[in-house]
Each structure stands twice: as structure tokens, then as C-alpha cells.
Amino acid sequence: MKKLLTLVLALVLVMGLAANASALTIAFSQIGQESDWRTANTDDVCAAIEGHEGWELVYSDGQQKQENQIQALRNFITQGVDYILFTGVVTSGWDEVLTEVNEAEIPLILLDRIPDCADKIDYVAAFGGDFPLEGRRQVQWVGEYMKSIGRDTEDVNVAIMEGTTGADAQVGRTEGNLAAMEDYPFLKVVAQNTGNFTRAEGQALMESWLKSVDKIDVLIAQNDDMALGAIDAIKAAGKVPGKDIIIVGCDSVKAAFEAIVAGEMNATIECNPLYGQFLVPTIEALEAGETFDKTIVHPDEGVFDMDGGIQVEGTVSVKAADVIDERAY
Ligand code: GYE
């Protein structure tokens, strides 16, 4: 009897080990936790992997530091994970470590912020925002809105609050912001600086602008968190956000919808953080032997504002109040 029990226990142990050994380990090097967008992105990607039978997540938070991410990638190689999901905090400086990932023959999937060495390395799939388009849409929204209220006959002073310097999302949105400005000569850039994609730094930057810049009519914030921080600074200075200063954010997180519905923010350009829906079928397909080319897949994205009906490149804005209840993040 005892012998049988020992045998059964040993069998259970071996089966357990085998099951574990056959689990697919998917490692994710995330950049940090700077914004509501990032939280939604982390939660969605992690839940998609952890919720999949036979898949195991290895997660690393880089805390906004490139050196932490490089270390995490090297640890993933040492551990011999099956897949690496990678979002780089900045665009440059990844050539060496991503080449090491390639040499280790671990399939690499690029997410969100795409490194500038992407054309020199191998990756099996890539999903990211169309940041130049989002940046153009921010300015187009402002330009078209100003036209719609007859404010295109005077100079309109615009402050551009940029994201983390050197991040793909900052580089692309700034490029888009400045390119679209040329179509609206009445828009004048009077301030341009980084708020690092965080609420606290957005608030601090707006505070300092309100003291140093003569007149700001419009704030273009390259994410909603900075816009929300700026709203606090504007209120503290005795001005009315959404009226005295027109505010356009980016991401379309729930808190921005709430600010728009409350009349304190005017518009937000969507950037979709929910990549789990793409990742799961992609990894399943790769496991089944399919391959993809190096195209970077951009999710479809919209624009949300106070009243709807503003035409920007590729879409027309939707009234935030009409869809706020359906927002997933
Ligand atoms: O817009 C911002 C976040 O890379 C698209 O990073 C992402 C950006 C997003 O911190 O809120």
C-alpha cells in the first residue's frame, strides 16, 4: 500500500514537472507605470497571457530606466524564455541587447514604442500606435475647432506639452504636431517642453508656463495624464480649464472622458493600449508555425470631444458623453 502511494506521489510530481516544463514562458519588459494608459496596457497584456492555458508570464517593470530594461532582457535570455514582448522607454540604444535576443533565437514581439533599430533586427510581430498621426490629429482638432467658432482670424497661442524626451510616442507626436501646424498658420507655438507623460510633471510645467508665458490659448498635451495635471494648475491659477485655455490630450483614458464631460477638457485623441487582443492570436499562430512580415500593426483609433463632429485626418470626433459608459480603461 505504502509503495503504491509513493509511486502515485512520484507520478504526480513527474507529471507536474512535465506540465510546467511544457508551459510556454512569455516574458514582458514593460517600461514603468507613468500613466493611466500604461496601467491599462500592463493590466491588459498581463491578463491576456496569464489567462491563457499553458502560458506563463514573466514580467519586468523597467521603472523608466533603459539600463533596467537591458538587464531584464539579458535575464530573459539567461532564463531561456520562449517569447519576449518588448516596449522600450526611449527609441535609441537597443541595438546591442536586441541583437543578443536575436542570437539567442528567442522570438521578439515589439509593442507600443518601437525602437529605432527595428529595421536592423529580427522580430516576429509588432504592434504600436501611429504616433505621427495622433500628433497631427491633435493639431487638426484644434485648428478645425477654432475655425468652427470663428477664432481662425486671430493668432491662437499654443503650448505643446511633450512626453518623455526620446520616447517613440514623444518623437512621433511632436513630429505630427509640428507638421500639422503648417496647415493652420493662425496657430502659433509659444511654449514647448516636456512633462514626461506624468500628471505631476504636467502640473508643474503648466504652473511654470502660467507664470512665464504671456498668453496661452490652447494646451496640446501629448498624453491625458499631463493634461489632467495641467488642469489642476490652471484651476489653481484662477483660470477656467476648457474655456480660458482649450485643452487637447492624447490616449482617451477614462479620466479624460470624465474631464471632458465635466467641461474641463475639450478633446482627446485615442491611443489604444489594449494589445492582448492582438497578442494572443499572434502567439497562437506563431506556435502553429505561421509567420508574419515586419509590418507594424496600428489599432484603429478615434477622437473624442465635448460635442462631436470635428473632422480630422481619417475620422470625425465623437461626443465623449455618448460613449463614456463603454470605455474599458
Ligand atoms: O500615450 C502615454 C504613455 O507609449 C503610447 O506612453 C504610449 C504612451 C502613452 O505614458 O500615456
Side-chain angles (χ1 to χ4, degrees), residues 31 63-67 69 86-91 94 113 164-168:
I31 68 171
Q63 303 193 348
Q64 306 295 324
K65 291 202 176 72
Q66 181 164 41
E67 61 264 33
Q69 289 200 271
F86 172 66
T87 300
V89 62
V90 289
T91 54
W94 303 105
R113 299 181 184 176
T164 305
T165 305
D168 194 20

Side-chain angles (χ1 to χ4, degrees), residues 31 33-38 64 87 112-113 129 131 134 164 167-170 173 196-198 222-225 250-251 253 271-272 275:
I31 68 171
Q33 327 174 26
E34 73 285 358
S35 65
D36 287 3
W37 188 99
R38 188 65 52 198
Q64 306 295 324
T87 300
D112 169 25
R113 299 181 184 176
F131 303 131
E134 291 162 4
T164 305
D168 194 20
Q170 176 269 332
R173 287 176 189 158
N196 213 13
F197 280 136
T198 69
Q222 290 179 354
N223 83 346
D224 289 335
D225 284 71
C250 193
D251 286 348
V253 295
C271 177
N272 192 341
Y275 288 126

Side-chain angles (χ1 to χ4, degrees), residues 171-249:
V171 174
R173 287 176 189 158
T174 303
E175 180 195 311
N177 285 161
L178 299 180
M181 285 283 174
E182 291 175 18
D183 297 329
Y184 302 93
F186 58 94
L187 300 179
K188 309 283 179 207
V189 180
V190 293
Q192 186 175 358
N193 212 324
T194 180
N196 213 13
F197 280 136
T198 69
R199 234 174 246 224
E201 286 179 66
Q203 181 172 356
L205 179 57
M206 193 69 208
E207 251 164 44
S208 92
W209 276 345
L210 288 170
K211 287 181 196 140
S212 61
V213 182
D214 231 16
K215 186 164 157 283
I216 297 175
D217 298 307
V218 173
L219 169 67
I220 291 181
Q222 290 179 354
N223 83 346
D224 289 335
D225 284 71
M226 294 190 295
L228 294 162
I231 288 174
D232 290 340
I234 293 168
K235 283 190 198 164
K239 291 188 190 297
V240 184
K243 295 198 173 65
D244 294 340
I245 300 179
I246 305 290
I247 302 167
V248 181

